[in-house]
Amino acid sequence: MGRASELARALSAGDLIILPTETVYGLAADAASPAAVAQLYEAKGRPRFNPLISHVGDLDAALGIADLDDRARVLANAFWPGPLTIVAPYRMGGGVCDLARAGLNTVAVRVPAHPLARQVLKAFGGPIVAPSANRSGRPSPTTFADAMAETGAFTAAALDGGPCPVGLESTVVALLDGPPRLLRPGAVTRAVMEALIGPLAEAEADAKRSPGRLTRHYAPSAPVRLAAGAPAPGEAYLAFGPAPEGPHVFNLSPSRDLAEAATRLFTYLRAADALAPRAIAVAPIPEEGLGEAINDRLRRAAGFVG
Ligand code: AMP
Ligand code: MG
């Protein structure tokens, strides 16, 4: 608990920290502090209209900042702690500043599962905003080293939690008036949520509010070529399934396991990019289960509008 209280103190002092979560590494700040949140946007180089996810310790704490309806509670009970973010009406006075919500009367909330994130939340005692620790528009960091290289310079303290077990951002689902809407596909798949609360609508109308929905989000420097059966000369290759090995080949999952591919996606995009290839070619990934989220990130890395 020693390190966790050190990080909690840094948050209380208005400083930024690097926080491991099960999805990706977060750049975290006190959600109640507009000054800390402003510093966070600045460190990420992120457009200010993008609202942030508030991380809390448990369902009770979530109910302190958000009005969760029956559907939201069903999802919360099923997937918290875990990689599901719920957008719900903000409970005024809940301690998430306007800047963290980008002025919206809604709030995005999640209970993370990573033991270190949970320790820091417990020691801090209030909501923590923690977008991915990359600079805006770059792939999310899934290792401590990548997180430090991206935004470590802006932080007062950092915690190494090892490689992120999920490796993909949380699923974002909106439970407001009307049908539930999938704002961002992620680690919790559409199918498992639909089994519990019925059909999810797509929410392209929210595109401007969701940074994960901007073109060229998660983008490496090299161009990305999708659905490539094999690499062309000079290209790095992200394979999926049995493939020839080579210095420029990164296999997301030789056994075609989508969960394994998710944990490796951003690490391999970065590793491939570091070779300064002509392009990063990516094997076709099936659009099922976690494949929906993986393909969503890949299309954005390639610069296609979602
Ligand atoms: P990240 O920066 O990876 O933590 O992503 C936060 C995600 O949650 C983005 O897709 C945001 O647009 C979305 N989000 C956060 N708050 C809200 C909100 N109040 N309404 C809609 N989307 C939100
Ligand atoms: Mg991000």
Side-chain angles (χ1 to χ4, degrees):
M1 209 58 179
R3 288 302 326 272
S5 30
E6 185 192 323
L7 269 87
R9 274 198 303 278
L11 290 173
S12 301
D15 289 328
L16 306 182
I17 63 168
I18 295 283
L19 183 72
T21 82
E22 73 275 25
T23 56
V24 302
Y25 272 84
L27 179 65
D30 176 0
S33 163
V37 174
Q39 206 187 322
L40 192 157
Y41 282 118
E42 207 169 349
K44 278 188 64 82
R46 164 180 269 205
R48 300 218 165 180
F49 55 76
N50 294 339
L52 305 172
I53 296 171
S54 291
H55 295 70
V56 296
D58 55 30
L59 178 60
D60 271 351
L63 292 170
I65 68 171
D67 287 324
L68 301 182
D69 66 14
D70 290 347
R71 302 165 304 179
R73 285 170 201 243
V74 167
L75 293 180
N77 283 322
F79 303 112
W80 284 354
L84 177 71
T85 295
I86 294 176
V87 173
Y90 176 59
R91 184 173 281 260
M92 284 302 162
V96 178
C97 67
D98 284 340
L99 189 56
R101 292 179 286 111
L104 300 172
N105 57 9
T106 56
V107 67
V109 62
R110 168 169 113 80
V111 176
H114 197 291
L116 294 179
R118 300 184 61 74
Q119 283 176 23
V120 173
L121 279 164
K122 192 166 179 202
F124 181 64
I128 297 174
V129 284
S132 50
N134 52 287
R135 298 272 301 162
S136 191
R138 307 231 328 125
S140 302
T142 57
T143 66
F144 183 66
D146 285 342
M148 290 304 285
E150 289 280 338
T151 53
F154 299 93
T155 62
L159 206 48
D160 184 350
C164 299
V166 175
L168 204 62
E169 295 83 357
S170 61
T171 302
V172 182
V173 63
L175 293 156
L176 302 166
D177 294 336
R181 287 170 305 143
L182 183 61
L183 299 187
R184 177 173 76 180
V188 172
T189 63
R190 168 193 290 276
V192 293
M193 288 187 291
E194 290 189 333
L196 292 172
I197 60 164
L200 297 175
E202 278 288 348
E204 285 309 321
D206 288 271
K208 287 200 186 62
R209 291 184 192 169
S210 289
R213 292 245 159 225
L214 295 181
T215 310
R216 288 289 293 175
H217 200 71
Y218 313 110
S221 306
V224 174
R225 186 166 74 84
L226 299 179
E235 286 184 336
Y237 189 52
L238 300 199
F240 182 74
E245 290 180 21
H248 292 78
V249 178
F250 302 86
N251 203 323
L252 291 168
S253 177
S255 65
R256 301 179 62 82
D257 174 346
L258 287 165
E260 181 176 55
T263 64
R264 294 178 174 172
L265 178 66
F266 291 119
T267 312
Y268 284 4
L269 270 176
R270 279 171 184 281
D273 203 31
L275 301 173
R278 269 188 44 215
I280 301 171
V282 187
I285 312 280
E287 188 79 24
E288 65 195 35
L290 273 179
E292 183 178 6
I294 294 171
N295 282 320
D296 174 78
R297 302 306 186 277
L298 284 169
R299 281 191 286 269
R300 282 161 216 294
F304 296 125
V305 192

